[in-house]
Amino acid sequence: MKSGYRGKAHLFGKNIDTDQIYPGQYLELVEPEEVARHCLEGADPAFVSKVQPGDIVVAGTNFGCGSSREHAAIALKHAGVAAVVAESFARIFYRNAINLALPLLVCKEISSRVESGDTLEIDLEEGTVRNSRTGKVIEGEKLSPYAMNILEKGGIKAIFLEKTRQNP
């Protein structure tokens, strides 16, 4: 896993819930590529036609609130989203995303300092976001070493599989 990302920002508001990230009517889908086709459909029906691999979702407070479904993080990751930067995250979504190796960064003032289409550079190790349009660096919260380890290993499942191979 790399610790730096550069991509186009897609700006969303506050309280983007898991049903907006991945609508419940598609819960029967199981293939990540199928799940990705409905990413953020509840907040922006055209999102999947606009997002490019490496793009960054930016949001206000409480991103990922609602149900505990992992589909929300799976949809974002497989739609090509490199990372999500928000002013705050719902606890369960945060953990699901880290477990699935989707990088997140809490950045308190991000939604007022970014516009959709801005190019952002994220440094997870430093906990910063640089907006190429403005040249400003926005300070966020560094991820814990524990979370960084999960991301670096490719997610919690990869860690589990590695440990079971070592200790059959």
Side-chain angles (χ1 to χ4, degrees), residues 76-141:
L76 288 160
K77 184 171 180 158
H78 288 276
V81 172
V84 180
V85 182
E87 293 174 13
S88 66
F89 292 93
R91 180 183 56 81
I92 294 173
F93 174 83
Y94 187 91
R95 188 56 199 226
N96 282 339
I98 295 297
N99 283 347
L100 292 166
L102 175 65
L104 304 177
L105 185 64
V106 174
C107 196
K108 298 291 183 198
E109 299 176 11
I110 195 73
S111 66
S112 65
R113 300 180 71 188
V114 170
E115 295 177 9
S116 280
D118 285 353
T119 299
L120 304 180
E121 298 173 20
I122 298 173
D123 185 327
L124 288 178
E125 289 181 356
E126 294 299 319
T128 60
V129 178
R130 183 181 177 280
N131 186 327
S132 294
R133 177 180 57 84
T134 65
K136 303 276 184 187
V137 175
I138 306 149
E139 296 289 328
E141 297 176 13

Side-chain angles (χ1 to χ4, degrees), residues 14-66:
K14 298 176 182 177
N15 300 313
I16 299 297
D17 65 38
T18 53
D19 209 46
Q20 291 173 293
I21 301 168
Y22 186 72
Q25 68 214 47
Y26 303 114
L27 288 175
E28 74 279 356
L29 300 176
V30 294
E31 295 300 322
E33 295 75 23
E34 292 175 343
V35 170
R37 282 188 278 236
H38 302 285
C39 184
L40 281 160
E41 190 173 290
D44 178 0
F47 177 75
V48 293
S49 66
K50 297 185 285 189
V51 69
Q52 296 294 313
D55 283 355
I56 298 163
V57 168
V58 177
T61 56
N62 206 24
F63 187 86
C65 58

Side-chain angles (χ1 to χ4, degrees), residues 140-162:
E141 297 176 13
K142 292 181 185 180
L143 290 174
S144 71
Y146 182 76
M148 284 296 290
N149 181 57
I150 293 171
L151 291 173
E152 288 168 0
K153 300 282 185 174
I156 205 80
K157 183 177 178 182
I159 291 171
F160 175 77
L161 291 173
E162 180 181 311

